[in-house]
């Protein structure tokens, strides 16, 4: 996996309210899970499905994880 692009992450955090909410949500967790699902973003951040997917794709493009589309009952994450 590529190294995260800190500059891009900082720009996302400053320009997207949803990214700010995601950073805050992750900071509040005692332990980070292996992934964040689209459904978690919808429930916890009150985002629409399209916005949640777009946010996770932006993070993947910045080098923070991979976006995986859910298949056969598995969640998008």
């Amino acid at each position: 996996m590529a190294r995260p692009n800190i500059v891009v992450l900082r720009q996302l955090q400053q320009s997207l309210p949803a990214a700010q909410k995601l950073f805050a949500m992750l900071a509040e967790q005692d332990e980070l899970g292996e992934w964040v699902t689209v459904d978690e973003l919808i429930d916890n951040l009150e985002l629409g499905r399209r916005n949640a997917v777009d946010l996770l794709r932006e993070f993947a493009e910045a080098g923070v994880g991979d976006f995986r589309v859910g298949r056969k009952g598995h969640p998008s994450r």
Side-chain angles (χ1 to χ4, degrees), residues 4-77:
N5 187 332
I6 302 301
V7 173
V8 172
L9 286 174
R10 198 169 279 140
Q11 289 172 346
L12 286 173
Q13 192 269 337
Q14 292 173 351
S15 65
L16 296 176
Q20 294 170 4
K21 290 179 182 180
L22 177 57
F23 281 124
M25 180 186 94
L26 295 173
E28 291 175 1
Q29 294 181 350
D30 292 332
E31 288 186 32
L32 294 178
E34 289 185 39
W35 58 70
V36 175
T37 66
V38 170
D39 292 329
E40 286 176 323
L41 295 181
I42 291 169
D43 293 341
N44 295 328
L45 305 183
E46 300 176 356
L47 296 177
R49 182 164 293 279
R50 171 60 31 213
N51 289 336
V53 168
D54 289 344
L55 180 62
L56 290 179
R57 286 181 191 228
E58 290 280 348
F59 274 80
E61 288 176 16
V64 181
D66 297 313
F67 178 75
R68 297 188 184 216
V69 176
R71 301 269 192 249
K72 298 182 181 181
H74 294 282
S76 293
R77 54 203 185 275

